[in-house]
Each structure stands twice: as C-alpha cells, then as structure tokens.
Amino acid sequence: MVEAKKMSGNIYFKNIRRTIFQSMGRYIAIFAIIALGVGFFAGVKNTKGSMMLTCNEYVNRYNMYDFRIVSTYGFTEEDVSAVSDVEQVSEAEGSVTADFFSEDRIGNSIIIRAHSITDKVNKVDLLKGRMPESDDECVADSHFFRESDIGKTLEVTSENSKQTSDALTYKEYKIVGIVNSPYYMMKTDRGTTSLGDGKIEAYVYMPAKGFTSQYFTEIFAVSEKQGFVFSDEYYSNIAKTEDAVINAAESMASKRYQQAVDEAQSEIDEGQQEIDEGRQRLKEEKNSVYGQLNSAKNTLDEQSSQMNSSREQINSQKDSLNSQKQQVVSAIAEVKQQIESLDPQAPAETEETLKTQLLQLEENLSQIEGGLEEVSEGEKKLDLAEGQIKNGYSDYYSNKSKAERSFASAEAELSNGQTEINKAKEDLENFEKPEIFVQDREDNLGFGSFESNADIVDSIAKIFPVFFFLIAALVCSTTMSRMIDEERTQIGALSALGYTPGRIMLKYMIYSGSAAILGCAVGFFAGSKYFPSFIWKAYGMMFGFAPLEFYFNWKLALVSLAVSLLCSTGTTYLACRGQLKHMPAEILRPKAPKAGKRIFLERVRFIWKHMKFLHKVSARNIFRYKKRMIMMILGIGGCTSLVLAGFGINDSVAGIADHQYSEIEKYHMTVAFEQSGEDLKKRFEDEYGKELSNAALLQQTSVNAKGPDANKSCSLMISDDRDILKAVNFTEDGKKISYPGKGEALINNKLAEMLGVKAGDTIELNYDDTKTATLKVAGIYKNYVSNYIYINEETYQQDMGKAYEPSVLFVSFKDGIDIHNISESINEFDGVIGISINEDAKSRVDDMMVSLNYIIILVIGCAGALAFIVLFNLGNINITEREREIATIEVLGFYPRETGSYVFRENFILVLLGIAAGLPSGFALHKFIMSRIVVDAVSFNEVIEPVSFGLTVVVVLGFAFIVDVILRQKLKRINMAEALKSAE
C-alpha cells in the first residue's frame, strides 16, 4: 500500500514536470508576465527606498546639520558653546561664509561662495585631490570645477568692493581638491547673494584663517536624536530639539544684544567723560594762558607808561638844556663881543672879568653839551626799550591769536565729539535687537526637494503596478483556463482513478504557482536593482551626490509574492473549480464548442453582405471568444498607452530648449557689464548698431519667492526698457501679457505652479538674507527653462528699497550675423565682464534632458515586453485551442500563407482595437507622468507630437508582426492527423 502511494506520488509529480516541459511556452508566459509585473512594482516601489537610503547614508556619513542658525550680529565661540550645551544637541560648530567675484575658465565674471571647513558638521566629501594644508588653499565644487582645475588659483578680482576683499585674507586661493557637500545636494542651485546679479555659480571650502572675520556667520547644530531621513521619527525628534535650539538662540540673541548695548553705552559714557574732561581742561588751559597773556600785557603796559614818563622827562631836560645852551651861547657871543669891543684903555680887571665870564660860560656850555649827550644816550636807551616793548606787544598779540585759534579748534573738536556722542545716544535708543533665524534641513533647497522628487517615483508606483498585475491576472486566467480545457480528458481520468479534486487542483496550482514564484523572485531582485539605477540616472540631472544605495524591502517581497500567487493560483483555482464540479464521465467527454451567435455587424447589411466569407468567420470568432478579445484589447491597449507615453515624454523633453530659445527668449545673447548705468545701451548701440536688431537693458539679481505651497529660489529681472517686450515673449495660451506696474510682478508658469499661486494672488520675495517684499502677481507667462520674476524700476526702488542699477543687455542681432564671431568682439568691449549665448544654453539644456531618456527607455521597454508577452501568449492559446479547426482548413487545401492570414487576421483586428483603446489612455497616462516628473528649473511642454502617434502605432504593429512571424512556425508544426483525431 505504501509502495503504491509512493509510486502514485512519483507519477503525480512526474506528470507535473512533464506538463511544464510540454507547455513551456505557457509556463514562460506566466513567469514573464509575473516577473514583469513584480519587477515594475518592486523596482518603482524600492526606488524611493533606495533614494531615501542613499540620502540617509550620505547625510549621516557627512553629518549634515539639522539646524542652521543665522543672526544679523554674527556669532562668537561663546555662542557656539551655548548651542552645543543644549541637552538635545549632540554637536554644534560655527562657520564663516563670504561671497566674492572671481573668473571662470574663459574669463567671465562669476560669484563664488566661500565656506570655512568644519570638522564635525557638514563635512565635505573629497572626490579628487587633497584637503587644504595652508590658509590660502581651498577645495572646490565638483559640479562646476573639474579635476583638471586642481592646481589652478581662484582670484579675488578687482570687481569686488573693499568690504568684500577685506573679508578674505588672501587675493588668490589655490584649488587643491574637488568635493561634494551635503549643504549642496542639488547640482544646479547654489543660493543667492546681494552681489552682482545675485546668482552664486559655485562654492569653495577653505580654512577659517582664509577669512578675516572674527565672528561666525552661522552655526550648524546636529540633534542628539534623529531617525531615518524624512521619517515621522525624524521629524518628531527634530521638533523636540527645535524648541530647545530656538530658546538657546533667543537667549544668545538677548545676551548679545545686552552685551552690545552695554558695550555701546560704556563707549558713550567713556566718550562723554573724555569730552567733559576735555572741556574742563580747555577751561583751565584758557584761564592759564589768558592769565599769562594778561599778565604779560600788564607788564608791557607798565613798561610803556614808564617809557612815556621817561621820554617826557628826557624831552623836558633836553628842552631845558637846549634853552640853557642857547642862553650860554648867546652869552658867550655877547662876552666875546664885549671883549673884542673892549677899549684898550679899559682896565685889565674888566678884561679879566670878561675872560673869566667867558671861561665860566664856556665851561657851562661844555656841561650843557655833556648834559645833551647824556640826554641823547637816554633817548637811545628809550628807543631800544620801546622797541623791546613793541616786540613784546607783537608777541602778545601773536600768542593771543594762536591761543584763540587753538582754543577754537579744541572747542570745535569737542563740539563734534559731543555731536557724535549725541548721535550715538540716539542710535542706541533706536538700536534694534538682533534677528535670529533658525532653519532646519527642509529649508535647504537640495534636501527639501529630495523627498518630493522621490515621491514622484512612488506616485507612479501607485498606478502602473495595478495595471501590470491586472494584465498578469488576465494572462494567467486565460492561460490556465485554456490549459485546463485542453487537459479536460486527463482531469476526468484522474478523477475516475480516485484522485480527489484538491489533488487534481494542486497539480495546476503547482504549475502556475511555481511559475509565479520564480517570476516573482526574478522580477523582484532584477526590478529592485535595475529600475532604481535607471531612475537614479535620470535624476542625475538634479542630484548625483552619491552612488545609489540599493534597498530591498522584504515586506514588499512578501506582498509581491502574495499578489503573484493570487494572480496565478487564484485564477487557477477558479478555472479548476468550474471543471471539477462535473462528474468524471462528463469531464471525460470533449467540451462542446461555443455556439455561434449573430454579431452586431451582421445587422449592418450593407457592410456584412460585401464581406468575404473568411472575413465573416474572423469577425464572428473575435466576438465568440470574448475573454480573449478583452484580454487582447486590454493588453495591447496598455502597451499602446505606455509606448505613446514614452514617446510623449520624449516630445515634452526634447522640444523645450527649442521653444525656450526661439519662441520665448527671442534674443541671441546676454551681455553683462562691470559697471551699471542707463547709458550702457546707448554706448553699445553706438558701437554695434549696424549688427543689432534689438537691445533691452535690465538689472538681474536673485531672490527667494515664497507662496502658499513652497519657497523657491529664482531670478529677479528689473527693467523699464520697453524693448524688453521684444526680447522676451510674455504669453500664456497664445495671449500677450502686459508688463507689470508698480507693486506687481510677472512670473513664469512653473514658478506659479510650485508656489501655488495664480494671477491676482500675492507672493513674498526674500532678499539680502533678511529683507522681504510682498508683490501682486499681475500675470503668469509660459516659460520652460529657469524661473523668473519680472518687475519694473519703480517696484524695485519703492517696494524693495533698492537702487536700480541696470548692468545687463538682452541683445538680438540681424539675420546672417555669426553670433560666436561677434561675441569675440563684444567680449573686448569696454566694461563687459560676461557673455552668455542662447545657442550654447540651448545645447546645455538638451544635454541635461538626455538623462530623462532612461525613463523613456524604461517605459517603452516595459511596454514592449508587455506587448510581446500578451500577443505571444494569446496567439499561442488561439492556435492551440483551434488546432482542429486549423488542421481542417489545411486539409481543405488552404495554403500556409492563407492559413496564417485566416488565423492572425483576428489578432491583427484585435491589435487595432487595442491601439484604438490605448491611444486616448496613453494621452492621459502621459499627462499623469509629466505631472509627476517635477524639475524645479524646468517646465515641460506636456505635448505629444502627431508623429509620435504614428510611431506608437508602428511600434505596436511591429511587435504584433514579430509575434506573427514566431507563431507562424507553430502553425507549420501542427500535426493534422493528430489534431483531427476524435477525442472518443
């Protein structure tokens, strides 16, 4: 008995193996459709997991910050320590940043953001070269610089202001390595700046001593508790830490504010004290100097009075002596005359007396003359003394004048000092508290957009796998139903021999289940590896900061297995149950063919009566086997939808550069000048007027635009030049849009979509780190590449409080002008610092869009595989179930070509019906896919060109033709004698 059971079991499983090998085509069909469905489902589903795992590994490896703290005051080491001491913070580190002008490889002016190298947080990923070893070395952005740039120097050009240049220790920095940074996860967006046009082209990292700043510009902090990126656990932990970080930041700000106020008040008090002391010293000095001067003057006045008195005395003596002299001279003359007229006869005594008088008078005269000489000497002494007194007066007035000037200067200096003190007091009263901004990872443009891009793939996974599994279920159902119908006699025999219905059913469930398990295993692992790789390469146009980490979700594997078994064994169970309800004797008899029915076309007499006989048979057969018809239409329709969607993606992507740079941006070149001014356009037109067809003057800068749904970086274009309407085509749905007025903005459709705004709504512009302005959306225009906001000069000056400084020209040239040749001349034009040619930009956009070809190949490849499996399986089933009919018509004398046409005509008609059903659904599918492929800087056209509809039909018919060729070989192998044998 045991041996009999063992033998029975061996025969049973041998029969299963034989069934598999004898119907390998069906087995492979079930295997392939399950593998395709599971591969697509698991691949697309695991893509998000792989992207998230890649991001998680990357940010953990390089310790990306959880919080970025920015202050209008800057930070000190004490502030960094305060953040680090927060219990929920594991690490905190200060960083210095500075933006500066430099030059790219061809000499165009660019703006670079320099960061100080941090040791703990936001560590850089060194790709090539080495890290800096001296303060004048740096490592550079891998997405802007190349390995060949290692060893070159970055110059801090003369275009920089003194303040910018002074922020950096050196004028040149040597590039010693190429790096990625977790701070910049996106390839294209490097942030905004208040320099130049506001767009940062690249970043570098250098030692802290490469900067002159004594303060940190930002603090990076890492939470003690984190979690897997973008998970609820992560956000929950970050939310708990955020409150503590904000409190610490506000405490730091309050402390810094009070410290700054105290320092300022102390300086004011010291300054006031110095001024008060200076006034006191000046007063004392005045008293001292003026006292000395007054004393000196009094002395001079006394001396002058004495001189006058002496002069009067001398003059009086002189007058007296002169009078006496005249008297004596007169007396001498008289005596001499008396002596001369003396009578000789006169007595001698008379003569003696006269002579004695004469001698006396002469002696008196001599004494008088001596007296006059003394008076003369006295006069000389008085003259000398008067000269000295005069010099004394001169010195007095000179010293007094000098003192007055000195005191006036001192008083003016003290007055100015007091004015400064008063202003300082006023400033201190109006002293604003520092603004603290605490940002988390979501505020980082690269990190913040990563999850939404991963969700795009996940959203696709919600619709495609359902479609694939539905087709898989139909394929399995059709395949197993036909197989069970074919083996009806064998099932009846097994039932008659005593096999239970469960035992019989198990055979077919093992058949379909084993194919499903193998297909699930192959599809799961292949899809989980290759689908994410394809999609990650497509996203390489935006990201690409690390190699993809493969993620295998074993729960997903179990779900895939369960669905696969449900599609295969579930449909097998339903098919077997229908057969096993009957008695063995009934099952052993062949199943009666389906009764023919009149179809709708037969009622359309004018068509039906003109149809050939075989065409009528084909029409009846199509509707006779409704399950096969539905299966074929659904399968081919799905294939058509996918192929059309694939070609549509290509149309939407491939055409945007042409549309952007020929229909929207009509100018040929952007010319940037070092100096701004409204005379730039005139000077340029004077030089190149013969070649020009249009030139529009504007100012370009960068801002962050904030709306209800998002905060996005974009270019702000300011112009009052009416020629801007010739340079840029502002239209939406073919209608022209007016240029915005005061307080209004014109934005492109992609930016409006991301921000969640429409015409009439308001947006907030964030600029210069801390300033904001709210503008009304006056209109939304069609644009494909980059995001722009256009405003006029009045809005920029009054609403944003900025000076209008146009330094950019949008230039168009006449037909026949070689743009690249003339650009060489323009590059030498006075003041030109950069040229951007639209044709070159178009080439770069086309190159960037090439990466999306991976998605197109993926979609069309899956569509082709699906079409091939469905067509082959259904064609194979069609031939197998109609072998007797096919053998009959061959016996009747049909040639092989006629037999093939008779059999495959139905397939061809069903393919056409499937195509007709698939084209509209493909249009809707394309629209859905394009709504999920979101690239911040690109707005896709969402168009399917007419030629793509034709190509789709050709591709699907091509797959049908390939299957036709393969299955015609099967027709040749039909054994007519065997097929026509009676089942009895």
Side-chain angles (χ1 to χ4, degrees):
M1 187 69 179
V2 174
E3 287 295 326
K5 286 185 177 181
K6 184 176 181 182
M7 183 177 293
S8 175
N10 289 337
I11 294 172
Y12 180 79
F13 288 108
K14 185 177 181 179
N15 181 261
I16 294 174
R17 290 195 299 272
R18 183 179 296 162
T19 301
I20 291 173
F21 286 110
Q22 286 179 348
S23 59
M24 184 58 71
R26 292 173 180 164
Y27 192 83
I28 291 174
I30 296 173
F31 165 85
I33 196 69
I34 293 295
L36 184 61
V38 171
F40 203 100
F41 173 65
V44 177
K45 274 289 185 183
N46 280 333
T47 294
K48 180 179 179 180
S50 294
M51 291 176 69
M52 291 299 181
L53 182 61
T54 302
C55 180
N56 188 70
E57 292 293 323
Y58 184 73
V59 298
N60 287 341
R61 185 182 305 123
Y62 299 104
N63 209 19
M64 182 181 182
Y65 70 90
D66 293 308
F67 300 100
R68 175 177 175 256
I69 309 169
V70 182
S71 169
T72 52
Y73 279 18
F75 301 102
T76 63
E77 287 286 359
E78 185 180 355
D79 296 328
V80 177
S81 298
V83 176
S84 183
D85 290 340
V86 174
E87 184 179 355
Q88 295 92 334
V89 171
S90 63
E91 289 174 319
E93 195 166 2
S95 173
V96 183
T97 61
D99 302 333
F100 65 94
F101 286 102
S102 188
E103 291 182 347
D104 61 13
R105 299 178 190 88
I106 60 175
N108 286 329
S109 176
I110 59 172
I111 302 173
I112 293 178
R113 173 159 290 175
H115 295 263
S116 62
I117 297 173
T118 47
D119 298 325
K120 302 174 183 177
V121 185
N122 277 7
K123 296 182 287 187
V124 295
D125 175 16
L126 182 65
L127 303 178
K128 302 289 182 180
R130 60 174 176 83
M131 293 299 291
E133 295 174 356
S134 63
D135 297 337
D136 61 347
E137 294 179 340
C138 68
V139 287
D141 185 352
S142 67
H143 298 302
F144 188 86
F145 297 95
R146 308 173 187 145
E147 186 177 0
S148 58
D149 291 318
I150 295 177
K152 296 181 180 178
T153 58
L154 280 177
E155 181 185 357
V156 182
T157 61
S158 58
E159 188 179 354
N160 291 282
S161 65
K162 185 176 186 302
Q163 181 182 1
T164 301
S165 299
D166 290 346
L168 299 166
T169 307
Y170 303 96
K171 299 304 178 187
E172 288 185 347
Y173 292 86
K174 182 180 179 182
I175 299 174
V176 297
I178 303 297
V179 297
N180 281 338
S181 168
Y183 193 84
Y184 299 98
M185 293 175 67
M186 291 185 72
K187 284 185 174 181
T188 55
D189 205 309
R190 295 293 176 259
T192 62
T193 178
S194 57
L195 299 182
D197 64 0
K199 183 181 179 182
I200 298 172
E201 295 289 347
Y203 63 83
V204 295
Y205 280 82
M206 61 182 69
K209 291 185 178 179
F211 303 85
T212 59
S213 175
Q214 301 300 311
Y215 295 95
F216 297 117
T217 52
E218 56 195 357
I219 296 176
F220 296 117
V222 178
S223 177
E224 182 71 36
K225 293 182 179 179
Q226 294 180 320
F228 197 85
V229 291
F230 304 109
S231 65
D232 292 338
E233 179 191 6
Y234 174 79
Y235 288 120
S236 176
N237 289 332
I238 293 304
K240 294 174 184 176
T241 306
E242 186 173 12
D243 292 336
V245 171
I246 291 174
N247 290 337
E250 289 177 349
S251 176
M252 287 187 313
S254 178
K255 186 177 179 181
R256 286 293 306 280
Y257 172 74
Q258 193 57 51
Q259 182 180 353
V261 168
D262 291 344
E263 288 177 357
Q265 187 62 57
S266 176
E267 290 179 3
I268 290 173
D269 292 342
E270 290 178 1
Q272 187 64 62
Q273 183 178 353
E274 287 180 5
I275 288 173
D276 293 341
E277 290 176 353
R279 289 191 185 280
Q280 184 61 35
R281 287 196 301 271
L282 180 61
K283 183 179 179 181
E284 293 174 356
E285 186 72 15
K286 275 185 175 183
N287 293 336
S288 173
V289 171
Y290 284 129
Q292 294 176 6
L293 287 172
N294 290 336
S295 175
K297 186 173 182 301
N298 292 335
T299 302
L300 289 172
D301 289 342
E302 290 177 2
Q303 291 176 348
S304 179
S305 177
Q306 291 175 359
M307 287 298 102
N308 290 336
S309 176
S310 299
R311 174 71 67 183
E312 289 177 357
Q313 291 177 2
I314 288 176
N315 288 338
S316 175
Q317 289 179 353
K318 185 177 180 181
D319 292 340
S320 175
L321 289 173
N322 284 331
S323 175
Q324 292 176 10
K325 182 178 179 181
Q326 289 177 357
Q327 293 175 359
V328 171
V329 169
S330 177
I332 290 174
E334 186 178 348
V335 171
K336 284 183 176 180
Q337 185 177 4
Q338 287 178 2
I339 292 174
E340 289 175 0
S341 63
L342 187 65
D343 186 8
Q345 299 290 328
E349 293 86 356
T350 302
E351 186 177 1
E352 268 311 313
T353 300
L354 288 172
K355 287 181 179 180
T356 299
Q357 289 179 352
L358 181 62
L359 288 173
Q360 186 64 42
L361 288 170
E362 288 176 350
E363 183 178 349
N364 289 341
L365 180 62
S366 176
Q367 288 177 351
I368 290 171
E369 287 178 349
L372 288 171
E373 288 178 2
E374 288 179 3
V375 169
S376 178
E377 289 296 325
E379 285 180 338
K380 290 179 181 179
K381 288 180 181 180
L382 284 175
D383 290 339
L384 181 61
E386 285 177 349
Q388 291 175 346
I389 291 171
K390 185 177 181 180
N391 290 337
Y393 275 113
S394 177
D395 291 341
Y396 162 77
Y397 287 114
S398 175
N399 291 335
K400 182 179 180 182
S401 178
K402 287 180 181 178
E404 287 174 346
R405 288 197 302 272
S406 177
F407 292 144
S409 175
E411 285 178 348
E413 187 175 343
L414 288 171
S415 179
N416 291 337
Q418 187 63 57
T419 301
E420 291 179 4
I421 293 294
N422 293 338
K423 187 176 183 305
K425 288 179 179 179
E426 183 180 348
D427 291 343
L428 185 59
E429 290 177 0
N430 300 324
F431 194 49
E432 294 182 359
K433 292 186 177 180
E435 292 187 78
I436 294 289
F437 302 91
V438 179
Q439 301 175 342
D440 57 23
R441 286 180 179 177
E442 290 295 321
D443 294 306
N444 181 285
L445 291 175
F447 185 90
S449 64
F450 189 83
E451 183 183 24
S452 61
N453 282 280
D455 285 338
I456 294 169
V457 181
D458 200 46
S459 64
I460 293 175
K462 293 176 181 177
I463 183 170
F464 282 108
V466 175
F467 176 78
F468 276 94
F469 280 125
L470 178 62
I471 299 297
L474 289 173
V475 168
C476 290
S477 175
T478 305
T479 302
M480 295 310 300
S481 295
R482 179 54 196 161
M483 181 178 179
I484 290 166
D485 285 342
E486 287 179 358
E487 297 193 359
R488 178 185 176 90
T489 304
Q490 188 180 130
I491 292 172
L494 290 173
S495 181
L497 290 172
Y499 282 87
T500 63
R503 187 79 167 163
I504 297 171
M505 191 181 293
L506 181 62
K507 169 191 173 181
Y508 298 102
M509 294 181 75
I510 290 175
Y511 180 93
S512 62
S514 61
I517 291 172
L518 289 174
C520 179
V522 172
F524 181 81
F525 288 105
S528 296
K529 179 173 176 60
Y530 295 110
F531 274 62
S533 296
F534 264 70
I535 295 172
W536 185 243
K537 285 185 178 180
Y539 274 105
M541 62 189 288
M542 294 174 61
F543 302 101
F545 47 81
L548 185 68
E549 300 281 346
F550 291 103
Y551 171 77
F552 295 96
N553 186 340
W554 300 113
K555 291 182 180 179
L556 187 66
L558 295 176
V559 171
S560 300
L561 180 60
V563 174
S564 300
L565 291 175
L566 181 64
C567 290
S568 58
T569 60
T571 55
T572 302
Y573 170 78
L574 294 175
C576 286
R577 191 181 66 170
Q579 288 283 15
L580 293 172
K581 287 190 301 183
H582 305 290
M583 297 299 292
E586 185 179 352
I587 301 173
L588 283 168
R589 285 196 297 270
K591 188 176 182 180
K594 287 186 177 182
K597 296 181 180 179
R598 288 172 65 86
I599 61 175
F600 174 78
L601 198 60
E602 291 185 52
R603 305 181 190 279
V604 186
R605 301 300 301 172
F606 71 91
I607 297 177
W608 183 257
K609 69 180 181 180
H610 289 94
M611 290 176 63
K612 294 180 180 179
F613 171 75
L614 290 179
H615 292 175
K616 293 179 180 179
V617 173
S618 296
R620 287 195 180 105
N621 283 338
I622 288 172
F623 292 97
R624 181 182 178 188
Y625 301 102
K626 290 183 175 62
K627 189 174 182 180
R628 180 168 63 89
M629 178 184 72
I630 294 171
M631 175 67 186
M632 183 76 87
I633 291 175
L634 286 177
I636 298 305
C639 166
T640 303
S641 298
L642 287 172
V643 173
L644 182 60
F647 283 122
I649 293 172
N650 182 66
D651 293 337
S652 299
V653 169
I656 62 171
D658 288 330
H659 289 300
Q660 179 69 25
Y661 297 108
S662 61
E663 298 175 8
I664 298 173
E665 295 182 0
K666 296 183 176 181
Y667 55 92
H668 297 115
M669 181 188 298
T670 301
V671 182
F673 293 85
E674 182 176 8
Q675 301 295 329
S676 61
E678 299 192 31
D679 63 329
L680 292 176
K681 180 177 178 180
K682 185 178 184 308
R683 288 199 298 114
F684 194 83
E685 288 176 337
D686 290 343
E687 181 71 20
Y688 298 100
K690 293 181 180 179
E691 294 87 358
L692 286 177
S693 65
N694 185 61
L697 182 67
L698 69 154
Q699 180 178 349
Q700 181 175 356
T701 185
S702 294
V703 296
N704 285 332
K706 186 176 182 181
D709 295 345
N711 183 5
K712 296 294 180 181
S713 174
C714 58
S715 296
L716 180 67
M717 320 297 280
I718 310 102
S719 179
D720 262 0
D721 191 340
R722 302 310 299 173
D723 287 333
I724 193 71
L725 298 175
K726 298 178 183 177
V728 183
N729 188 20
F730 297 111
T731 60
E732 180 62 24
D733 296 330
K735 297 179 181 178
K736 284 280 187 181
I737 300 175
S738 301
Y739 201 74
K742 181 186 179 303
E744 296 179 336
L746 189 63
I747 68 176
N748 63 293
N749 58 311
K750 179 68 175 182
L751 182 60
E753 178 186 337
M754 292 189 295
L755 298 182
V757 297
K758 59 184 183 299
D761 293 343
T762 59
I763 57 174
E764 182 181 284
L765 303 187
N766 300 316
Y767 58 100
D768 292 352
D769 291 333
T770 59
K771 297 179 181 178
T772 61
T774 301
L775 304 178
K776 179 184 176 182
V777 179
I780 298 171
Y781 76 99
K782 189 72 174 176
N783 192 71
Y784 296 105
V785 180
S786 298
N787 295 310
Y788 298 104
I789 298 177
Y790 281 85
I791 63 174
N792 65 15
E793 176 185 351
E794 188 178 8
T795 301
Y796 191 61
Q797 290 180 336
Q798 296 187 17
D799 291 70
M800 299 182 66
K802 303 274 286 184
Y804 179 54
E805 298 175 342
S807 59
V808 175
L809 280 175
F810 286 167
V811 181
S812 301
F813 296 97
K814 295 176 182 177
D815 294 340
I817 300 296
D818 189 310
I819 305 300
H820 288 88
N821 282 345
I822 198 170
S823 69
E824 296 179 6
S825 169
I826 293 174
N827 207 32
E828 301 299 323
F829 187 73
D830 184 35
V832 171
I833 59 172
I835 293 174
S836 176
I837 300 174
N838 278 7
E839 187 64 32
D840 296 340
K842 176 180 175 294
S843 299
R844 288 194 296 271
V845 172
D846 284 335
D847 292 342
M848 183 177 69
M849 292 297 108
V850 166
S851 59
L852 281 178
N853 287 339
Y854 289 101
I855 291 179
I856 297 169
I857 293 170
L858 185 65
V859 172
I860 295 179
C862 290
L866 178 67
F868 185 84
I869 293 170
V870 171
L871 285 168
F872 181 84
N873 188 58
L874 293 180
N876 185 52
I877 291 173
N878 186 36
I879 292 171
T880 303
E881 67 184 5
R882 298 172 63 187
E883 282 187 354
R884 189 181 182 88
E885 178 186 349
I886 294 168
T888 300
I889 64 174
E890 286 183 344
V891 168
L892 290 174
F894 277 62
Y895 289 105
R897 184 177 60 82
E898 293 174 319
T899 303
S901 298
Y902 170 72
V903 173
F904 293 113
R905 184 182 297 114
E906 298 166 20
N907 283 1
F908 180 74
I909 293 172
L910 289 173
V911 167
L912 292 179
L913 290 175
I915 290 172
L919 290 176
S921 59
F923 183 83
L925 180 62
H926 166 261
K927 193 172 185 66
F928 172 80
I929 292 174
M930 295 310 301
S931 70
R932 294 298 184 271
I933 301 177
V934 179
V935 180
D936 284 356
V938 178
S939 173
F940 297 109
N941 201 18
E942 289 192 18
V943 65
I944 301 178
E945 300 293 345
V947 68
S948 294
F949 287 93
L951 287 174
T952 299
V953 174
V954 170
V955 168
V956 177
L957 289 178
F959 282 120
F961 176 76
I962 293 171
V963 172
D964 188 315
V965 171
I966 294 173
L967 290 180
R968 281 179 185 271
Q969 303 304 314
K970 182 167 179 135
L971 286 179
K972 294 178 181 179
R973 293 196 298 268
I974 293 177
N975 188 324
M976 289 184 289
E978 189 70 27
L980 291 171
K981 281 183 181 179
S982 173
E984 301 294 334

